[in-house]
Amino acid sequence: MSTLEQASASPMPDGITDPNFRPMPGRVGNLTVPQQHALQTLKNQLHDEGHFVEERMDDPMLLRPTVHVRLVVQGVCTDPVCRYLRARKFDVPKAKAMLLAAEQWRRDMKVDDIVQSFVFTEKEQVDQYYPQYYHKMDKDGRPVYIERLGKLNVPALYGITTKERLLQRLILEYERFLTDRLPACSAAVGHPVETVCTILDLKGVSLSSFYQVRDYVNEASKIGQDRYPECMGKFYIINAPWGFSAVWSLIKPWLDEVTVSKIEILGSSYQQKLLQDIRAEDLPADLGGKCRCAGGCSLSDAGPWNPNEKTGNGVA
């Protein structure tokens, strides 16, 4: 019996086809006895108190709606409630408070309405001044999220959209990340994928522009940490300019210690590091890869979650 099997008090997730997959500690398939007990205790309390929402708090084996057709994405199972426990070091009362606060936030923000009816019609225009997009996967199967903060033009951006609509778009993308992107990536690689690989490009960033959009960045950071915990896998800040320490000193207090520990700050010689984790054919050419999606990578939504992208790999 392996060390993993001895340590784990929970069965492996269903649907795994990757024979080399081993869950990280604190995840389904690698929970200690106290962690498994904490998970069951929290789920029992949520059930008993009428707070358990099956479609968000149970295994994500769901029918996934797409634009044109309805497909079954045979994703492998994980446990969403476990995210909150990991975020609070398996302290049940703290995890429960965090989860219930997130549920209240969902009601206040009308998240279900956003998912059902929000359309970011200004996407192509906003892409010119603040590119934010998912693009294919890293070598571990994580969806890659890219943000080009250096291209930010605040006056032009807010001439097209508003902070409120940007936040609604952010929420919609988080929801799609959980319900569409992660299950599709999990199915593609044969094991659970629970986190994202983020690339934040600061090439040409202006400190004055950042100050103008700092309220949005602050709110966006809080949404990610407090409402969608334990989603960050890897985080690369590239093209960090001279004087970045001033911007970092503003951003860092918004982030918890776990988040900060996952961030790697790179200068202009970042390509080799990114290519260690992302195949060249999956990395946009303007970031040192070989992918040149028709119409631009930032608008392609290329990846296994997209029915128009057969594999999520290769040059589109």
Side-chain angles (χ1 to χ4, degrees):
M1 182 177 291
S2 69
T3 302
L4 170 66
E5 292 170 334
Q6 292 174 344
S8 179
S10 64
M12 290 283 279
D14 295 331
I16 294 174
T17 59
D18 177 3
N20 298 315
F21 173 70
R22 296 294 181 270
M24 293 178 64
R27 286 163 171 78
V28 174
N30 194 5
L31 297 175
T32 64
V33 171
Q35 289 172 341
Q36 179 66 25
H37 177 71
L39 177 59
Q40 194 58 53
T41 298
L42 178 54
K43 295 181 85 168
N44 288 343
Q45 290 181 8
L46 294 171
H47 273 290
D48 293 345
E49 297 170 17
H51 297 306
F52 194 87
V53 183
E54 187 171 353
E55 61 265 28
R56 285 199 303 281
M57 300 179 189
D58 217 340
D59 295 333
M61 300 288 286
L62 305 172
L63 285 172
R64 305 297 181 190
T66 65
V67 175
H68 301 294
V69 296
R70 196 167 179 83
L71 300 173
V72 176
V73 175
Q74 189 68 18
V76 292
C77 291
T78 61
D79 198 313
V81 175
C82 205
R83 291 182 182 276
Y84 292 89
L85 283 165
R86 288 199 301 271
R88 291 297 177 261
K89 300 180 180 179
F90 284 85
D91 184 307
V92 171
K94 290 181 179 179
K96 181 180 177 182
M98 184 184 193
L99 188 152
L100 294 181
E103 287 297 300
Q104 183 60 53
W105 170 84
R106 291 182 68 90
R107 292 189 288 270
D108 294 342
M109 293 297 294
K110 298 181 172 58
V111 172
D112 290 342
D113 291 343
I114 291 174
V115 172
Q116 293 172 14
S117 60
F118 179 76
V119 179
F120 197 60
T121 54
E122 61 270 41
K123 179 179 178 179
E124 291 189 18
Q125 292 175 288
V126 167
D127 183 68
Q128 300 176 51
Y129 305 112
Y130 193 7
Q132 301 167 281
Y133 57 100
Y134 286 91
H135 185 270
K136 302 190 178 183
M137 300 183 294
D138 70 7
K139 292 179 182 179
D140 291 322
R142 298 182 185 90
V144 176
Y145 174 74
I146 300 168
E147 188 165 325
R148 315 296 287 271
L149 193 61
K151 292 190 175 183
L152 180 63
N153 182 324
V154 175
L157 180 67
Y158 285 152
I160 295 168
T161 191
T162 64
K163 184 182 78 171
E164 289 70 28
R165 285 186 61 79
L166 288 173
L167 289 173
Q168 288 176 316
R169 179 204 187 186
L170 177 76
I171 292 167
L172 178 62
E173 289 298 335
Y174 265 120
E175 291 292 309
R176 289 176 173 170
F177 168 77
L178 293 175
T179 62
D180 296 341
R181 302 186 198 283
L182 290 185
C185 290
S186 298
V189 298
H191 62 74
V193 177
E194 301 183 63
T195 58
V196 65
C197 175
T198 295
I199 301 171
L200 178 61
D201 184 9
L202 299 183
K203 184 177 182 179
V205 72
S206 163
L207 191 57
S208 61
S209 292
F210 175 77
Y211 272 110
Q212 294 176 60
V213 80
R214 61 181 295 187
D215 288 344
Y216 165 77
V217 175
N218 187 13
E219 289 187 50
S221 299
K222 287 183 64 64
I223 288 172
Q225 289 185 138
D226 298 342
R227 312 312 180 193
Y228 300 95
E230 291 293 301
C231 288
M232 184 187 294
K234 296 181 179 180
F235 195 121
Y236 297 109
I237 296 178
I238 65 172
N239 286 312
W242 179 87
F244 173 70
S245 58
V247 176
W248 182 237
S249 67
L250 293 173
I251 299 175
K252 193 174 180 179
W254 303 341
L255 308 175
D256 60 38
E257 292 180 4
V258 175
T259 299
V260 171
S261 69
K262 296 177 180 178
I263 296 174
E264 187 167 353
I265 300 174
L266 307 171
S268 58
S269 300
Y270 60 84
Q271 291 88 350
Q272 184 175 358
K273 179 61 179 177
L274 292 188
L275 290 171
Q276 288 177 4
D277 295 320
I278 304 170
R279 288 178 289 269
E281 60 268 27
D282 294 338
L283 186 66
D286 57 0
L287 291 177
K290 297 180 179 179
C291 186
R292 299 180 184 275
C293 294
C297 291
S298 62
L299 293 173
S300 69
D301 198 28
W305 53 83
N306 188 339
N308 296 319
E309 177 75 12
K310 293 182 180 180
T311 65
N313 297 312
V315 179

